[in-house]
Amino acid sequence: MQYLCAEVQQPIQTLDVSELPFGAGLLQQSQVLKRMLQTDRHLALQRLMFAKVSRFQKAGEI
């Protein structure tokens, strides 16, 4: 589970927008986030979380 979470977060964590103007950096971050949220791996992770939250309520608090 931790591996999947790290894999999904990696594009956001490695994105460097420090050299961009504020608006351009925000736009780039939102585009990367949107692409990440639409990946098959992220959707599979969300399905897994929703399926298990009734049995493991702590997992739903992430």
Side-chain angles (χ1 to χ4, degrees), residues 6-48:
E7 181 183 319
V8 166
Q9 293 174 353
Q10 190 269 339
I12 295 295
Q13 291 175 338
T14 58
L15 181 63
D16 181 17
V17 295
S18 61
E19 300 294 322
L20 297 175
F22 179 76
L26 191 59
L27 180 63
Q28 188 168 355
Q29 283 183 329
S30 67
Q31 290 170 340
V32 168
L33 181 59
K34 185 180 99 173
R35 280 194 303 271
M36 184 268 302
L37 291 174
Q38 293 175 331
T39 64
D40 290 339
R41 297 285 282 179
H42 181 262
L43 295 173
L45 177 60
Q46 290 300 313
R47 284 192 290 272
L48 176 65

